[in-house]
Amino acid sequence: MNDPTAIGQPVLLNMDDVRVDPVVALKTPAAVSTRREMLPFIRWQGAIHVACANIGDVGGLAALQRFYDLPLKAEAAEPQSLKRAISRLYSVSKP
């Protein structure tokens, strides 16, 4: 009975379990993705799917849209796992 969809709550993506396509994600500059807490993670069914801490952030989606020719589809993501995914993607290895 702990199924969140059974009580009408959205299911949040756990970005620790999602494979991010770097070809899609790296079209967005790190500063934009970090500031907006949004990470485009896959091109699927004619859209770019974007993990978002706040799917209602229309301004953030508009900022991302300029980097893509396809429409964006906002997907609700668990905020802490999203931050970790952004950090993993944009981290620079230091010698």
Side-chain angles (χ1 to χ4, degrees), residues 3-39:
D3 179 9
T5 58
I7 54 176
Q9 295 178 359
V11 176
L12 300 178
L13 291 174
N14 179 343
M15 293 305 291
D16 295 327
D17 298 332
V18 172
R19 184 180 174 280
V20 175
D21 182 346
V23 173
V24 172
L26 292 174
K27 287 184 177 185
T28 300
V32 174
S33 191
T34 302
R35 182 173 59 251
R36 296 297 189 164
E37 295 184 321
M38 294 182 171
L39 181 62

Side-chain angles (χ1 to χ4, degrees), residues 13 15-16 18-22 24-30 32-42 48-54 60-61 64 68 72-75 77 81-90:
L13 291 174
M15 293 305 291
D16 295 327
V18 172
R19 184 180 174 280
V20 175
D21 182 346
V24 172
L26 292 174
K27 287 184 177 185
T28 300
V32 174
S33 191
T34 302
R35 182 173 59 251
R36 296 297 189 164
E37 295 184 321
M38 294 182 171
L39 181 62
F41 64 95
I42 193 169
I48 302 296
H49 292 254
V50 181
C52 305
N54 175 7
L61 290 169
L64 286 179
Y68 299 93
L72 303 181
K73 181 169 183 338
E75 304 281 353
S81 71
L82 177 57
K83 287 179 185 178
R84 288 190 297 272
I86 291 169
S87 179
R88 280 191 305 271
L89 182 69
Y90 292 108

